[in-house]
Amino acid sequence: MANTIVSPYASRPRSEWPNITKRLLHAHPLSPHEILEIADAAWASLWKSTIGAGQNRTPLKSLTVPATVVGYLFEILFSNELLRRSNGLWRGSNAANEKDLVHTKDSRFSIELKTSGQLGSKVFGNRSYAQKRSTGDRQKKEKSGYHVTVNFYRQTMTLVRFGWIDSTDWSPQLAPTGQMAGLSDDVYRWKLVEIVGNYQLKGPIELLHGIG
């Protein structure tokens, strides 16, 4: 496992964050356009899927599927589509200490894929995301680095973003029993870039500002 990543945002004022993010995305081998194409393909494939066989064969879209299951299946299909397009340059995670999307030639470009099925534009990590990773801990993945975040609501993908999140960006819920960690508005505004596309036209009306 590589050493702990030094944040490119470390000690830099927030006024410089947009340009840092722009440089990071420009340096990455995947363009936002490619990411959106893969997300679109994986999302369409997901809702064309079925479970069971024979007379018990059931379309996934006819079921009420928990958002966590949707996110898990989408991640698998996203990584498979990326593998197919890249001729082995990318693959999905095979170990607990690997990112969700592994660049086989240069781990600096590996990506965490986070999804949220809640109505809105935020994504969440579990509480462990807000805990520091010890220098010698090779059993846990490095949580800093490139991220693709995908918001969806029921069977509609509503927002895809690409950017960088540091492990220190995650803040745990204040309640001692809270199991989630969230991100600040500055992270959403300056470190994650919205990938604009036609998919957004299908979003529920509740996502419009001032409605809901």
Side-chain angles (χ1 to χ4, degrees):
M1 183 71 180
N3 293 330
T4 300
I5 294 173
V6 176
S7 172
Y9 300 85
S11 303
R12 310 310 302 175
R14 284 197 176 24
S15 60
E16 294 184 15
W17 283 16
N19 284 333
I20 294 172
T21 301
K22 184 176 180 180
R23 290 197 298 270
L24 287 169
L25 299 195
H26 181 73
H28 199 274
L30 287 178
S31 70
H33 176 74
E34 290 174 298
I35 289 171
L36 182 56
E37 278 193 341
I38 294 166
D40 276 333
W43 192 255
S45 178
L46 173 63
W47 295 109
K48 292 177 183 176
S49 303
T50 60
I51 62 171
Q55 293 183 344
N56 200 30
R57 187 169 178 266
T58 306
L60 191 69
K61 65 182 180 181
S62 70
L63 304 175
T64 302
V65 187
T68 52
V69 176
V70 173
Y72 172 71
L73 295 176
F74 173 76
E75 179 185 319
I76 292 173
L77 293 172
F78 190 106
S79 62
N80 287 348
E81 180 70 13
L82 183 54
L83 171 64
R84 184 185 67 80
R85 291 176 180 233
S86 68
N87 295 317
L89 186 60
W90 289 88
R91 63 171 175 81
S93 173
N94 290 331
N97 61 358
E98 290 184 334
K99 298 287 181 68
D100 297 325
L101 307 169
V102 177
H103 191 285
T104 58
K105 300 297 184 183
D106 193 336
S107 63
R108 293 178 303 165
F109 297 127
S110 294
I111 297 170
E112 275 289 279
L113 176 60
K114 298 207 68 63
T115 62
S116 174
Q118 298 186 29
L119 185 62
S121 59
K122 295 184 181 299
V123 293
F124 303 93
N126 61 46
R127 195 176 182 89
S128 68
Y129 270 70
Q131 298 173 354
K132 286 187 176 181
R133 174 176 175 269
S134 59
T135 304
D137 192 349
R138 297 176 181 268
Q139 302 305 312
K140 296 180 180 179
K141 72 174 73 178
E142 170 58 64
K143 297 182 180 71
S144 296
Y146 287 100
H147 279 67
V148 170
T149 69
V150 177
N151 293 85
F152 63 90
Y153 185 62
R154 296 175 182 169
Q155 296 180 20
T156 303
M157 188 170 66
T158 59
L159 182 59
V160 182
R161 289 174 290 202
F162 184 35
W164 181 285
I165 300 176
D166 287 300
S167 60
T168 52
D169 289 329
W170 295 98
S171 299
Q173 287 179 303
L174 295 178
T177 56
Q179 296 301 309
M180 292 195 302
L183 301 167
S184 71
D185 289 342
D186 283 344
V187 173
Y188 289 113
R189 186 177 297 115
W190 307 124
K191 299 179 76 172
L192 292 171
V193 175
E194 177 180 324
I195 304 179
V196 177
N198 290 334
Y199 73 96
Q200 293 172 300
L201 300 176
K202 302 176 184 178
I205 194 171
E206 291 87 350
L207 290 177
L208 296 176
H209 293 297
I211 297 178

